[in-house]
Amino acid sequence: MKEIKDREQLAHYLEIHEIASTFNANIMPHLVLYSYEQGELICSQGDPAEYLYVLVKGKVKVHNTSAEGKALIISFKTALEVIGDIEYVQGIDFMNSVEAVSSVHLIAVHTRWLHHYGTSDPELLRFLLRIITTKFCTKSDSLSFNLMYPVEARLASYLLSISYDESDPRFNGQLSTVSLRDVANYLGTSYRHLNRVIHKFCEEDLVERSRGFIYVKDRERLRSLAGHNIYEM
């Protein structure tokens, strides 16, 4: 994690995402722009939620770990998204861990400034209400799609999520075979069946399995198979 000490760039992100009016004049000086590299943790499940983060560039993965130690990926998010909104409103620790999938830029503000200057600010409260209600709607849709779509479509959608970032055409990720059991849990299928589908994708030249990783070879055909990306709604 690195702080980007460039107020013009911060102002640019506020403008292009149309959120400049979200933060009032008292909060604005306390906004900080951070960059995270691929694989860096932005926050960890159970940690105190001291900051509210606004994702303005890149892609993140939201996941948590069960009491039995099983990892579960919740979703992938791209700009504009907020991390820590529910935790701020509820006054609780981070419910999930969030990791940078690609190079990421986030605007952060310590919650003490939000409590001090934002608790009765209608613009900030409307923004948080819109973000939180959108999350509940998309979560409901995602759960329905995960039950309705075949494993092939779900895997295609997942591979697109981890391999590409529309805001950074240079980014080209891959899936580690070590994490396939976690992926199977996420997709709601068995580890054995997931491997069968991956083998089928390899035979159809959609992906390549090599040296412990799975690489996407045909993005457009995967997109067609997925229909639309159900994990980035």
Side-chain angles (χ1 to χ4, degrees):
M1 182 266 284
K2 183 191 303 181
E3 181 179 346
I4 303 174
K5 297 181 179 181
D6 185 339
R7 302 302 291 186
E8 288 187 5
Q9 187 171 9
L10 189 151
H12 172 70
Y13 282 131
L14 292 173
E15 181 180 351
I16 63 172
H17 290 296
E18 300 180 342
I19 55 172
S21 63
T22 297
F23 303 102
N24 61 49
N26 292 316
I27 296 175
M28 195 69 73
H30 302 289
L31 300 182
V32 183
L33 185 61
Y34 289 118
S35 68
Y36 290 80
E37 295 304 315
Q38 180 184 359
E40 277 195 275
L41 271 177
I42 296 161
C43 61
S44 296
Q45 178 183 347
D47 283 355
E50 296 180 339
Y51 285 87
L52 182 80
Y53 298 97
V54 182
L55 175 64
V56 290
K57 177 187 176 184
K59 179 183 292 186
V60 299
K61 175 174 66 177
V62 183
H63 60 96
N64 63 26
T65 306
S66 70
E68 295 77 25
K70 291 185 177 181
L72 175 65
I73 299 171
I74 306 298
S75 60
F76 295 87
K77 297 294 183 181
T78 55
L80 181 73
E81 185 56 63
V82 178
I83 301 164
D85 46 353
I86 296 174
E87 289 85 349
Y88 165 67
V89 172
Q90 293 290 325
I92 58 177
D93 295 337
F94 281 116
M95 297 185 295
N96 302 305
S97 297
V98 181
E99 176 186 329
V101 174
S102 64
S103 178
V104 162
H105 286 179
L106 293 157
I107 296 174
V109 57
H110 200 286
T111 54
R112 68 171 172 268
W113 304 119
L114 297 178
H115 286 301
H116 195 64
Y117 295 120
T119 52
S120 59
D121 186 317
E123 284 293 332
L124 177 62
L125 295 177
R126 273 195 293 267
F127 173 70
L128 292 174
L129 180 62
R130 176 168 58 85
I131 290 292
I132 291 171
T133 53
T134 298
K135 283 184 178 181
F136 281 119
C137 291
T138 54
K139 183 63 177 177
S140 176
D141 290 341
S142 178
L143 288 172
S144 298
F145 280 127
N146 214 27
L147 293 173
M148 294 163 54
Y149 276 61
V151 174
E152 288 80 1
R154 283 179 263 161
L155 178 59
S157 182
Y158 180 85
L159 288 170
L160 290 170
S161 292
I162 64 167
S163 299
Y164 296 100
D165 177 10
E166 298 295 342
S167 68
D168 184 1
R170 299 168 299 173
F171 174 71
N172 191 12
Q174 65 276 324
L175 171 63
S176 170
T177 54
V178 174
S179 63
L180 288 184
R181 291 191 184 277
D182 292 337
V183 175
N185 289 333
Y186 178 50
L187 299 181
T189 189
S190 69
Y191 174 70
R192 180 176 296 180
H193 184 54
L194 178 63
N195 270 300
R196 283 198 294 265
V197 175
I198 291 172
H199 180 69
K200 176 185 175 184
F201 281 10
C202 289
E203 288 184 333
E204 295 175 351
D205 215 28
L206 295 170
V207 302
E208 178 183 358
R209 190 168 186 164
S210 175
R211 298 180 180 180
F213 290 94
I214 296 169
Y215 302 90
V216 171
K217 295 183 68 177
D218 195 326
R219 179 184 182 185
E220 292 309 314
R221 286 171 61 203
L222 279 179
R223 191 187 300 278
S224 176
L225 183 59
H228 65 280
N229 200 327
I230 62 176
Y231 301 125
E232 293 185 29
M233 293 188 298

